[in-house]
Amino acid sequence: MAGMLERFRRGLDRTRQGLTDKVKALVSAHRAVDEELYEALEEILLGADVGVATTQELLGRVRDGMCRGQDSAAVLPALGEEVRAVLGPDEAMREEPGGLLVVLVVGVNGGGKTTTCGKLAWRYRREGKEVVLAAADTFRAAAAEQLSVWGERTGATVVRGQDGSDPAAVAYDAVRAARARGADVLLVDTAGRLHTKVNLMEELKKVRRVLAREDAAFPQEVLLVLDATVGQNGLQQARLFREAVGVTGVALTKLDGTARGGVVLAVRRELALPVKLVGLGEGPEDLQDFRRDDFTAALFGRSTA
Ligand code: GDP
């Protein structure tokens, strides 16, 4: 899987510069493990968007494993090990062998929802699966257009309604279409306009209800698309979506565009949500399963664990 690791490495170039390279510079300038070193390390972690609580946890773990006065060269590998431990085991997207997997995709506008739906369609199609894309963002004609382009590109069927029509009705039609075609996967793209937060959440709940009425198991996956460049604000948005529609996993997009990839840790610990997918670029193959081993290897070098 060298190709996959290489993709992670490239996608995390900026975070490696913003986090790992800074820690390297710190330990080479500061030979002994002491309080000053921990303070500088804390600053670097906060700067990489690891978040306050998770930074404290990481520092505590590194401290526990270190002796005072020890050579600071041990700090970087120790940090890598603790990052790996804090992330916990990987959780992949759910599967529904022989049945219909329904994925409800939510998140604020501009985060990368439609792109993530398209990339997922591309990936499932490559696995030989029959895919239906539902354009349930009926508020923005451009979103449905964008999804149609992905439909053409991937050979997925696109179900869309009239502009301004009820998103739940589109979701309903899409389930019917998916069943009629014997599809394996239905990806439901939704609206994400934030200025009408209450209405948006009510609308998403309704879409969810309509899906569940078709089969109590639907949607098996509620994927929250979070833009990694938004940083800690994204966590607040995530809480709103989690309360409203019960998020089962996060797709963290645009990791390639930020030095603050530490947000992966904040999502895992502070939201207690698994990061299932990461966006490492704009191409379809740049949406990858999140693998903590690849993530830590890309940032800290190969893990010995
Ligand atoms: P939506 O409003 O949430 O549906 O967002 P879009 O899917 O339209 O995406 C907004 C922009 O982000 C588009 O220009 C995408 O190409 C870009 N984008 C999405 N995911 C990624 C990613 O992982 N990396 C990069 N660099 N750009 C991305």
Side-chain angles (χ1 to χ4, degrees):
M1 290 290 189
M4 219 82 95
L5 179 58
E6 191 41 41
R7 218 175 272 286
F8 256 86
R9 274 190 67 79
R10 257 188 291 123
L12 289 168
D13 275 346
R14 297 178 71 171
T15 297
R16 200 165 44 253
Q17 287 155 15
L19 178 67
T20 324
D21 292 354
K22 284 188 181 168
V23 177
K24 279 184 184 159
L26 171 68
V27 297
S28 66
H30 211 102
R31 304 305 309 188
V33 175
D34 60 14
E35 216 38 54
E36 219 176 292
L37 180 125
Y38 285 126
E39 272 170 31
L41 186 57
E42 178 175 17
E43 222 167 278
I44 294 171
L45 292 172
L46 291 173
D49 247 347
V50 169
V52 177
T54 316
T55 293
Q56 293 314 323
E57 182 179 352
L58 270 179
L59 280 177
R61 283 167 164 267
V62 172
R63 264 177 202 275
D64 288 348
M66 291 280 166
C67 323
R68 199 154 289 269
Q70 189 177 349
D71 188 330
S72 65
V75 167
L76 191 65
L79 184 63
E81 282 312 309
E82 298 310 339
V83 162
R84 200 175 167 279
V86 161
L87 285 171
D90 296 336
E91 271 188 58
M93 290 285 286
R94 290 184 193 165
E95 291 181 16
E96 197 62 53
L100 176 64
L101 173 71
V102 178
V103 183
L104 181 63
V105 181
V106 303
V108 305
N109 274 347
K113 270 190 314 295
T114 307
T115 310
T116 299
C117 285
K119 288 170 170 174
L120 273 175
W122 183 83
R123 163 189 180 147
Y124 286 125
R125 292 289 297 146
R126 278 227 315 191
E127 292 170 7
K129 291 183 172 145
E130 188 68 42
V131 178
V132 174
L133 286 163
D137 181 357
T138 55
F139 194 73
R140 273 192 326 145
E145 287 305 324
Q146 208 181 321
L147 216 55
S148 297
V149 171
W150 277 106
E152 278 162 29
R153 202 168 163 188
T154 61
T157 305
V158 178
V159 174
R160 52 188 290 188
Q162 301 284 327
D163 289 349
S165 62
D166 184 356
V170 175
Y172 174 83
D173 287 346
V175 173
R176 293 293 158 116
R179 282 186 167 146
R181 301 183 67 85
D184 303 291
V185 184
L186 166 61
L187 303 164
V188 184
D189 189 22
T190 61
R193 50 191 189 283
L194 255 197
H195 53 280
T196 51
K197 217 179 293 177
V198 175
N199 288 344
L200 173 62
M201 294 306 166
E202 289 310 313
E203 185 179 294
L204 292 176
K205 282 185 199 165
K206 185 171 168 196
V207 169
R208 215 202 135 102
R209 274 200 307 276
V210 165
L211 292 172
R213 210 179 293 146
E214 290 304 298
D215 185 323
F218 294 164
Q220 292 93 331
E221 193 86 72
V222 180
L223 194 63
L224 172 67
V225 175
L226 271 189
D227 178 343
T229 65
V230 172
Q232 299 289 310
N233 284 343
L235 300 191
Q236 199 43 42
Q237 294 166 10
R239 289 191 180 95
L240 295 173
F241 282 99
R242 190 180 55 184
E243 272 162 39
V245 284
V247 173
T248 60
V250 171
L252 198 59
T253 58
K254 309 187 200 178
L255 262 183
D256 54 306
T258 179
R260 298 169 152 247
V263 73
V264 168
L265 287 135
V267 169
R268 187 74 193 97
R269 297 304 283 190
E270 283 164 48
L271 298 173
L273 286 174
V275 175
K276 294 193 169 177
L277 299 164
V278 282
L280 301 164
E282 296 202 66
E285 68 288 359
D286 291 321
L287 183 75
Q288 293 282 331
D289 282 336
F290 178 76
R291 274 184 282 272
R292 69 165 171 173
D293 286 346
D294 289 353
F295 180 80
T296 45
L299 289 183
F300 300 97
R302 257 287 164 231
S303 163
T304 49

